[in-house]
Amino acid sequence: WETCWFKVELSIPVAWAGREVHFVWESEGEGMVWRDAQPVQGLTKEGEKTSYILTRSLKESEPHSLTLYVELACNGLFGAGKGSMIAPPDPDRRVTLSKAELVVFNRDVYELLVDLEILLDMAQLLGEENQRSFQALYTANEMVNVCDVMDPSTFPAARDLAAAIFSQRNGESQHTIHAVGHCHIDSAWLWPYEETIRKCARSWVTVVHLMEHNPELTFACSQLGLIPVLWQAQQFEWVRSWYPGLYARIQDFVAKGQFIPVGGTWVEMDGNLPSGESMVRQFLQGQRFFQEQFGRICSEFWLPDTFGYSAQLPQLMHGCGIRRFLTQKLSWNLVNSFPHHTFFWEGIDGSQVLTHFPPGDSYGMHGRVEEMLKTVKNNKDKGRVNHSAFLFGFGDGGGGPTQKMLDSMKRMSDTDGLPRVQMSTPDQLFSVLEKESSQLCTWVGELFLELHNGTYTTQAQIKKGNRECERILHDVEVLSTLAVAQDRAFQYPASQLQRLWRLLLLNQFHDVLPGSCIQLVVEDALEYYAEIRRAGAELQEEAVQSLCRDLLQPEARSTQSTLVLNTLPWERSEVISRPGPDGTEALALVTVPSMGYALVQEPFVPPQPVAVRKQEDGSVTMENGVIAVCLDTMGHLTSLRLLDSGRSSVPDGCYANQFALFDDVPLYWDAWDVMDYHLQTRKPVTTLLKPLEVTLAGGLRGSVRFSLQVGKSSTLTQEIILDAACPYLRFLTQVKWKEAHKFLKVEFPVQVRSTNATYEIQFGHLQRPTHWNTSWDWARFEVWAHKWLDLSEHGFGVALLNDCKYGASAHRNILSLSL
């Protein structure tokens, strides 16, 4: 990830007067040309950008001698993987500079080649039944006959032949393709956050340079420029801070309507795992940034590369002023082909957004004939609407559009036999789709990606950090708000909270929170979580000190007491642990009102204490007057009874709290995927290291502990806790994980029959089938949930809660949590 700087001194021969002169640079690493202390051109061999145009026609008044600087990175467009793109980076990777030349560029030959490429594609791809394929073939053949490569004076006649074909127009009914320049840059993936800053600059300076020479590309009566589409406010903020000159140029093109910020979120976040409040903050921070910097908010939500889309998103979009949505990721489905490209997507509250999937199934098109034809052929709603998006430009690692893509599409703007192609904007596309939307279908519920199910579980520490930091920031805001309401002198920590929220939102990028990134990114993410925990604890302490100042004065408390705060909006009764008079931990049962506090003084004796009994066979029973449980020596839950109903939750002969290990060898995307066939490799964890033992004998709390060996080298220790008056059993699980290509889950078979299980999502819940009747059902063999999943029938149910996990499943009567 190092960068090297080259000083390049150029002297252009006087004899090249009137010629187009390029500085050519080819290297395995990405580069940036700097001139007069400003970035002027990104260089990426994989992105077909290997030259910087010094002059389009050398004039005597132009400088013939100049100095450039080239910043060369020791990584390519897709990082520095050892042996394969998604392998860990190679620390010993060497980057070679293979070419640095000053050359004359023959524009006439280039234009001739572009003509021929399109004609040959038409000849090959339009098919024998289409007369246009033969017309293209014979025209290309005639061009070869007319053109003498040694005589440039023959080139115009050859180009005239091509122009005659390209100028033959389409009929009015022809499908219209809205071409939108595009540069997808992952904020972190196979490279760290810091490298993304340079990627943004390389890509965007190239786009701005293209705009300066393609200001008005007129197609189908539209007068529009090249439109690069960029989603992420965070990336704009990076460029604003690190490349102010480039940022000023971008702002100029935003004002002209060419450089269009879309998306409306801080980063292109994961579409499943962030909480509802986090998703609101993504929109809040993103829309606020766009409003402040560019004077407008985004009306389209673009999230083309995220691993599924929560059923709550349409409602959140509505609340943020957005009614339009674009993605293409569901084209990656492994099992079922999604039935639409343009449709209304309806969320759990009935909110609808007009949704478009570019039918070419990509956000990195190259402006080729083949891609145009695929866009029309693939479009599953072309009988209902007559317009499609076409996103062109190198992506993922940046790069963006090229001049050749633009020149190719100019020739296809309105050519008989090909779809009509026009430079467009997101607003133009969606506006015309809205006018044609009367016959569109509606999809209700989540847009579930049938792939990358492993991202709900990969990198456990990142998942835990996200959930904990979401909770910390919630608590800080609740307590700080109450403190302001009580004492106007209290300074609400708005700027500190914004900084911490932005760190959290950054880590929710769709390759960081899912865990599909390199180790260097994971280390950065964990540092950000540590900072949120540290600073959040300080802000929380300041708010509590202000809010409860009188209660915390020593004279206000005649006896030893503990202040307990409840930051949730319902009354809670729980057993807490607090420092005792002799310095040891003491337990207390407390009841605290909604968004309130209680002072705990004398230990409260519950009406029914927890009873813990060890049986002769080593099993243990625990009971608290609400539920009764029985555990065997392996820690299995053999019985869980709700005492009021007398009904048992665990079927006879079954074990709940059963750990199981599965092989995890996906087809390719290792950190992303777990395949359905992993279910055939289930092995119950049966090696006991320490049998069940009682650790707390009852009263306010009863608990037991045991240890298991998992796989070849890993260990698992679990403490099972039952508190007084508590309607649930707690499992504190610690795993020292040393396995490779294995997947650990814990299973709870329950005595409940239902065809649907319920899962918590953002600000709501969702039902999914517990059977595999159809391919749409069994494709969801591994799903995501937030803090709980529930299987209920009339009058009775069992819920499985967690504080840091997202992967889950409910098949038949077995609730499973992926660890």
Side-chain angles (χ1 to χ4, degrees):
W1 311 112
E2 296 295 320
T3 57
C4 310
W5 286 85
F6 291 80
K7 183 180 181 181
V8 183
E9 295 181 339
L10 301 175
S11 182
I12 304 173
V14 176
W16 288 3
R19 311 295 293 274
E20 182 171 340
V21 183
H22 290 198
F23 167 56
V24 172
W25 178 281
E26 288 188 15
S27 60
E28 293 167 343
E30 293 191 274
M32 172 84 92
V33 181
W34 292 72
R35 183 174 180 175
D36 301 326
Q38 290 296 326
V40 290
Q41 176 67 50
L43 299 168
T44 305
K45 192 174 182 181
E46 301 108 312
E48 297 180 5
K49 296 177 183 67
T50 55
S51 67
Y52 168 54
I53 301 174
L54 295 168
T55 176
R56 292 177 186 269
S57 179
L58 183 63
K59 298 180 180 64
E60 190 177 340
S61 59
E62 289 183 277
H64 285 49
S65 297
L66 64 152
T67 300
L68 304 176
Y69 290 87
V70 178
E71 179 188 18
L72 180 60
C74 296
N75 54 270
L77 190 65
F78 292 99
K82 188 172 185 176
S84 92
M85 181 181 77
I86 61 171
D90 180 2
D92 299 318
R93 175 167 173 153
R94 297 291 183 270
V95 171
T96 303
L97 168 60
S98 55
K99 186 181 288 185
E101 295 177 349
L102 194 60
V103 303
V104 169
F105 184 77
N106 194 321
R107 180 68 59 179
D108 292 335
V109 172
Y110 162 81
E111 299 287 1
L112 202 56
L113 285 171
V114 175
D115 287 342
L116 281 167
E117 280 184 21
I118 292 177
L119 290 171
L120 289 172
D121 280 348
M122 289 174 67
Q124 289 179 316
L125 299 168
L126 288 178
E128 290 188 5
E129 71 282 356
N130 191 328
Q131 68 170 3
R132 288 291 281 172
S133 68
F134 288 94
Q135 292 171 356
L137 178 64
Y138 281 95
T139 299
N141 185 66
E142 195 175 348
M143 288 172 66
V144 173
N145 294 337
V146 166
C147 180
D148 178 354
V149 295
M150 304 305 291
D151 182 6
S153 68
T154 63
F155 295 173
R159 290 213 62 210
D160 288 344
L161 291 168
I165 281 277
F166 298 143
S167 64
Q168 291 172 331
R169 301 300 178 212
N170 273 302
E172 288 184 15
S173 65
Q174 184 59 273
H175 195 88
T176 300
I177 287 176
H178 292 249
V180 182
H182 185 265
C183 180
H184 181 65
I185 304 175
D186 286 322
S187 289
W189 179 30
L190 304 174
W191 50 85
Y193 286 125
E194 189 175 349
E195 179 59 25
T196 307
I197 300 171
R198 291 191 285 265
K199 282 181 172 289
C200 290
R202 289 182 207 119
S203 302
W204 297 359
V205 75
T206 304
V207 164
V208 167
H209 186 66
L210 276 174
M211 284 181 173
E212 290 167 348
H213 296 93
N214 297 271
E216 293 179 354
L217 302 174
T218 307
F219 299 104
C221 300
S222 297
Q223 196 170 8
L224 299 162
L226 166 67
I227 316 295
V229 176
L230 303 159
W231 303 268
Q232 302 173 57
Q234 172 68 79
Q235 293 184 358
F236 278 109
E237 175 64 22
W238 280 334
V239 172
R240 187 172 74 92
S241 301
W242 290 74
Y243 301 90
L246 170 59
Y247 190 74
R249 292 167 71 193
I250 289 173
Q251 284 183 307
D252 288 342
F253 283 103
V254 170
K256 292 176 184 176
Q258 286 181 261
F259 205 113
I260 300 179
V262 300
T265 51
W266 186 246
V267 299
E268 195 180 309
M269 76 277 193
D270 181 81
N272 299 322
L273 309 187
S275 69
E277 187 61 35
S278 288
M279 284 189 168
V280 169
R281 300 306 175 108
Q282 289 283 1
F283 284 107
L284 176 68
Q285 293 288 339
Q287 293 284 54
R288 180 182 289 166
F289 182 88
F290 291 132
Q291 181 67 54
E292 290 173 353
Q293 294 297 315
F294 306 118
R296 48 157 292 197
I297 63 171
C298 299
S299 57
E300 303 89 11
F301 182 36
W302 288 51
L303 203 58
D305 194 30
T306 290
F307 314 141
Y309 305 89
S310 166
Q312 182 57 275
L313 275 169
Q315 183 180 5
L316 295 179
M317 284 185 243
H318 269 239
C320 300
I322 292 174
R323 299 290 188 276
R324 302 158 166 182
F325 176 52
L326 183 142
T327 184
Q328 61 81 47
K329 198 64 176 184
L330 264 65
S331 65
W332 286 47
N333 271 7
L334 205 57
V335 182
N336 298 286
S337 176
F338 195 79
H340 301 293
H341 282 100
T342 306
F343 58 99
F344 285 105
W345 179 25
E346 186 174 303
I348 60 174
D349 74 322
S351 297
Q352 290 190 349
V353 290
L354 178 60
T355 300
H356 183 68
F357 296 174
D361 294 341
S362 172
Y363 50 69
M365 296 294 203
H366 294 165
R368 295 196 292 256
V369 170
E370 179 183 12
E371 297 166 336
M372 302 298 174
L373 296 176
K374 178 184 178 182
T375 294
V376 178
K377 182 180 179 181
N378 218 31
N379 191 329
K380 293 173 182 171
D381 299 280
K382 55 180 173 274
R384 300 183 177 95
V385 291
N386 205 27
H387 296 260
S388 298
F390 183 91
L391 310 183
F392 67 94
F394 287 93
D396 289 333
T402 66
Q403 185 66 52
K404 186 178 177 184
M405 294 176 193
L406 292 170
D407 293 336
S408 297
M409 287 187 290
K410 285 178 191 176
R411 290 160 170 81
M412 290 183 261
S413 62
D414 193 3
T415 296
D416 186 24
L418 297 177
R420 187 177 286 109
V421 180
Q422 67 177 53
M423 283 290 161
S424 188
T425 70
D427 181 61
Q428 285 181 320
L429 168 68
F430 277 102
S431 293
V432 74
L433 290 177
E434 284 165 354
K435 291 175 184 175
E436 298 183 351
S437 65
S438 62
Q439 301 299 314
L440 292 179
C441 299
T442 299
W443 181 271
V444 179
E446 67 182 327
L447 295 175
F448 185 84
L449 178 65
E450 297 171 356
L451 194 70
H452 296 354
N453 317 57
T455 59
Y456 316 145
T457 306
T458 297
Q459 293 293 349
Q461 290 301 320
I462 283 184
K463 305 298 193 286
K464 184 179 176 71
N466 181 69
R467 183 79 62 80
E468 283 187 1
C469 290
E470 286 176 336
R471 178 185 57 75
I472 288 167
L473 293 180
H474 166 272
D475 288 355
V476 170
E477 291 189 335
V478 166
L479 295 167
S480 298
T481 303
L482 292 172
V484 167
Q486 179 178 286
D487 180 4
R488 292 295 176 184
F490 178 78
Q491 189 71 37
Y492 187 84
S495 60
Q496 299 98 308
L497 279 166
Q498 173 162 289
R499 182 180 73 87
L500 298 180
W501 265 114
R502 286 184 172 183
L503 283 179
L504 180 60
L505 300 180
L506 178 60
N507 274 355
Q508 290 173 348
F509 178 74
H510 69 254
D511 278 311
V512 180
L513 180 53
S516 50
C517 53
I518 59 172
Q519 181 181 341
L520 204 57
V521 178
V522 174
E523 291 169 359
D524 283 344
L526 295 181
E527 281 187 22
Y528 293 159
Y529 289 135
E531 171 61 13
I532 295 168
R533 288 184 181 104
R534 184 199 63 76
E538 287 182 4
L539 293 176
Q540 187 169 298
E541 180 65 21
E542 289 171 11
V544 170
Q545 290 292 337
S546 172
L547 181 63
C548 305
R549 187 182 302 112
D550 296 339
L551 296 169
L552 294 170
Q553 298 303 323
E555 60 271 16
R557 294 179 289 170
S558 55
T559 57
Q560 179 74 24
S561 61
T562 303
L563 176 66
V564 183
L565 295 158
N566 175 16
T567 55
L568 294 179
W570 57 84
E571 182 180 271
R572 295 159 66 190
S573 294
E574 292 179 19
V575 174
I576 64 159
S577 179
R578 59 173 184 154
D582 55 355
T584 59
E585 291 290 302
L587 300 175
L589 178 62
V590 300
T591 298
V592 189
S594 159
M595 295 286 186
Y597 69 89
L599 279 171
V600 181
Q601 296 176 342
E602 298 303 320
F604 174 69
V605 179
Q608 182 142 3
V610 180
V612 180
R613 299 181 184 88
K614 187 161 188 174
Q615 310 300 319
E616 290 184 4
D617 60 1
S619 64
V620 173
T621 62
M622 294 193 288
E623 188 175 321
N624 67 355
V626 183
I627 58 175
V629 303
C630 184
L631 300 148
D632 70 10
T633 55
M634 291 279 295
H636 294 133
L637 186 60
T638 56
S639 174
L640 171 61
R641 287 184 300 118
L642 190 62
L643 294 176
D644 275 357
S645 69
R647 180 165 174 174
S648 178
S649 302
V650 181
D652 292 340
C654 292
Y655 296 134
N657 196 38
Q658 171 67 65
F659 294 94
L661 199 61
F662 300 80
D663 292 343
D664 177 28
V665 187
L667 296 175
Y668 178 68
W669 298 98
D670 201 351
W672 291 256
D673 285 350
V674 56
M675 313 308 295
D676 58 347
Y677 53 74
H678 87 282
L679 296 169
Q680 301 169 21
T681 66
R682 177 183 179 275
K683 294 180 181 65
V685 176
T686 58
T687 307
L688 190 63
L689 294 179
K690 291 181 181 177
L692 193 73
E693 60 177 358
V694 175
T695 47
L696 284 174
L700 284 174
R701 175 174 291 170
S703 65
V704 295
R705 182 184 287 128
F706 65 96
S707 297
L708 302 172
Q709 180 175 322
V710 179
K712 291 184 177 179
S713 311
S714 303
T715 57
L716 180 152
T717 300
Q718 189 179 72
E719 186 176 15
I720 303 174
I721 298 168
L722 182 63
D723 284 341
C726 185
Y728 54 84
L729 192 61
R730 281 195 296 149
F731 303 83
L732 301 183
T733 312
Q734 283 194 321
V735 181
K736 291 186 178 177
W737 186 249
K738 298 181 181 178
E739 306 306 299
H741 292 111
K742 298 291 181 185
F743 194 0
L744 179 65
K745 304 184 184 185
V746 62
E747 300 167 345
F748 290 82
V750 295
Q751 201 151 297
V752 176
R753 182 168 176 79
S754 177
T755 54
N756 287 292
T758 307
Y759 302 79
E760 191 205 21
I761 66 170
Q762 298 85 354
F763 297 136
H765 58 265
L766 188 73
Q767 289 198 326
R768 300 184 179 112
T770 57
H771 55 75
W772 292 345
N773 282 0
T774 71
S775 59
W776 293 90
D777 299 331
W778 66 255
R780 288 184 277 185
F781 59 87
E782 177 80 5
V783 297
W784 62 272
H786 282 197
K787 296 187 286 293
W788 54 264
L789 62 151
D790 169 272
L791 191 64
S792 290
E793 58 189 47
H794 180 70
F796 188 81
V798 179
L800 183 57
L801 289 72
N802 76 85
D803 67 355
C804 62
K805 297 295 169 187
Y806 296 92
S809 66
H811 185 225
R812 311 287 294 188
N813 69 324
I814 299 176
L815 300 176
S816 177
L817 192 65
S818 299
L819 306 180

